[in-house]
Amino acid sequence: GYPNVGKSSLINSLKRSRACGVGAMPGVTRCLQAVQLDRHIQLLDCPGVVLDSGDPPAAAPLRGALAPQRLRDPLTPACAILRRCPPQQVRGD
């Protein structure tokens, strides 16, 4: 699945314990991990995957594939986000 959508958090919720590490930034889950939910169900937690869709490079941060601190140019993705928002929403009307 995509990075930072809650895969590890969902597993922790189902397990009702902290079976997987979680965090607000992409890259907390570094390898595949099997978590035994009960005798019959085993869940797999994996790192986020973003397939190359041919979109411009500015689209990767919008999918959560890169941590904002690692961006060389944070203005390009910020402008892409603002272009998708209605002006009233940005102004707070």
Side-chain angles (χ1 to χ4, degrees):
Y2 282 112
N4 276 28
V5 294
K7 297 179 296 291
S8 300
S9 295
L10 177 64
I11 291 172
N12 286 343
S13 180
L14 292 171
K15 183 77 174 168
R16 297 187 182 187
S17 68
R18 185 170 178 191
C20 305
V22 297
M25 293 296 168
V28 173
T29 304
R30 300 228 182 252
C31 60
L32 188 68
Q33 176 183 355
V35 177
Q36 197 70 38
L37 189 59
D38 65 19
R39 284 186 342 172
H40 305 288
I41 299 174
Q42 186 177 48
L43 303 172
L44 296 177
D45 188 25
C46 65
V49 177
V50 178
L51 301 175
D52 184 14
S53 63
D55 289 338
L62 301 179
R63 290 195 186 103
L66 297 172
Q69 294 84 354
R70 295 184 57 203
L71 296 177
R72 288 187 187 144
D73 172 27
L75 292 178
T76 301
C79 289
I81 291 169
L82 290 173
R83 280 193 299 274
R84 293 177 181 204
C85 296
Q88 303 86 354
Q89 188 177 20
V90 177
R91 287 193 307 260
D93 293 349

